[in-house]
């Protein structure tokens, strides 16, 4: 049943809060994972197309590819959040809000998404743009342009570490939850009866 809604239904209580800005341990975990994944992608790319050879093949005309890469990174940050926003808006029927919190861009609104649909919201940019960049690398599979697209793919996967972290957290939550993602913080709600059972029943619930 679709429980995405604009207002929290009666009988639902706060189950957990995900706030990477306040939770320093999670913050460094996510950012460490991001750097690790990014570095791994660069290493893999090195074995596919040697970047030194790719740069040498440009015969010194490196400025256009660099300009395209820098512009692509800016555009990617925007479309990444827009992709979150498209699905969040479609599910909650509420306009998304966008912004920056110093270290990251964000998208959110005041609506509530159920577990399956919030998983879609969280992972949509990683999957969609991963496919797009993967298809582009099929056509641009050598030289400096391979590296332009591969670098954007590395940013896509590494930059989605926060989304992957949240998705892993979702797996551990009860099946029936509602997630309110205001962009900088996520509030996870469950039915009051489930919360009581979790508190009183231990692992047998």
């Amino acid at each position: 049943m679709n429980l995405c809604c604009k207002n929290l239904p009666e009988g639902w209580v706060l189950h957990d809060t995900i706030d990477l800005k306040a939770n320093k341990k999670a913050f460094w975990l996510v950012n460490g994972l991001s750097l690790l994944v990014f570095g791994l992608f660069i290493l893999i790319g090195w074995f596919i197309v040697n970047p030194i050879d790719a740069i040498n093949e440009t015969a010194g005309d490196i400025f256009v590819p660099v300009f395209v890469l820098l512009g692509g990174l800016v555009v990617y940050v925007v479309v990444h959040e827009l992709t979150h926003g498209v699905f969040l808006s479609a599910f909650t029927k509420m306009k998304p809000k966008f912004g920056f919190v110093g270290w990251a861009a964000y998208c959110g609104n005041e609506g509530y998404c159920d577990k399956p649909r919030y998983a879609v919201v969280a992972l949509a940019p990683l999957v969609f743009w991963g496919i797009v960049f993967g298809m582009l690398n099929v056509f641009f599979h050598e030289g400096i342009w391979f590296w332009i697209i591969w670098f954007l793919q590395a940013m896509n996967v590494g930059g989605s570490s926060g989304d992957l972290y949240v998705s892993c957290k979702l797996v551990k939550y009860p099946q029936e939850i509602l997630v309110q993602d205001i962009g900088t913080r996520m509030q996870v709600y469950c039915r009051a009866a489930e919360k009581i059972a979790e508190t009183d029943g231990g692992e047998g619930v």
Side-chain angles (χ1 to χ4, degrees):
M1 181 175 64
N2 183 4
L3 290 175
C4 297
C5 52
K6 296 181 179 180
N7 299 298
L8 186 67
E10 292 186 10
W12 289 73
V13 296
L14 182 65
H15 179 73
D16 194 13
T17 298
I18 303 175
D19 187 345
L20 295 182
K21 188 176 180 180
N23 188 336
K24 298 302 181 184
K25 181 179 179 180
F27 173 85
W28 290 113
L29 174 64
V30 167
N31 282 276
L33 178 62
S34 178
L35 290 174
L36 179 63
V37 171
F38 178 81
L40 181 61
F41 260 76
I42 297 302
L43 181 61
I44 293 173
W46 198 295
F47 285 101
I48 299 174
V49 175
N50 190 303
I52 298 176
D53 293 341
I55 293 173
N56 290 337
E57 289 172 4
T58 64
D61 189 15
I62 193 68
F63 297 103
V64 172
V66 169
F67 179 79
V68 172
L69 175 60
L70 294 177
L73 291 174
V74 173
V75 171
Y76 169 72
V77 171
V78 174
V79 297
H80 179 106
E81 297 306 324
L82 283 175
T83 306
H84 282 309
V86 166
F87 286 94
L88 187 61
S89 176
F91 292 148
T92 64
K93 310 302 180 185
M94 296 181 69
K95 184 178 179 180
K97 299 177 182 178
F98 303 92
F100 285 88
V101 288
W103 55 277
Y106 69 82
C107 166
N109 65 16
E110 300 294 330
Y112 299 84
C113 265
D114 60 12
K115 189 174 185 176
R117 289 164 184 79
Y118 189 74
V120 173
V121 172
L123 296 175
L126 171 64
V127 175
F128 178 79
W129 293 107
I131 293 173
V132 169
F133 292 138
M135 292 178 64
L136 286 174
N137 263 141
V138 171
F139 294 99
F140 299 94
H141 56 272
E142 57 186 9
I144 195 65
W145 293 107
F146 164 84
W147 270 102
I148 299 301
I149 297 167
W150 190 262
F151 196 93
L152 291 172
Q153 181 73 285
M155 286 293 297
N156 175 52
V157 180
S160 296
S161 58
D163 300 327
L164 289 169
Y165 172 79
V166 170
S167 299
C168 290
K169 295 276 287 184
L170 287 178
V171 174
K172 299 180 180 180
Y173 292 144
Q175 185 58 35
E176 282 195 284
I177 59 169
L178 291 174
V179 181
Q180 183 187 49
D181 185 351
I182 64 172
T184 57
R185 185 181 70 255
M186 281 149 277
Q187 303 273 52
V188 181
Y189 296 86
C190 67
R191 294 183 186 276
E194 290 186 1
K195 188 67 175 179
I196 294 172
E198 180 184 88
T199 302
D200 297 339
E203 298 180 355
V205 177

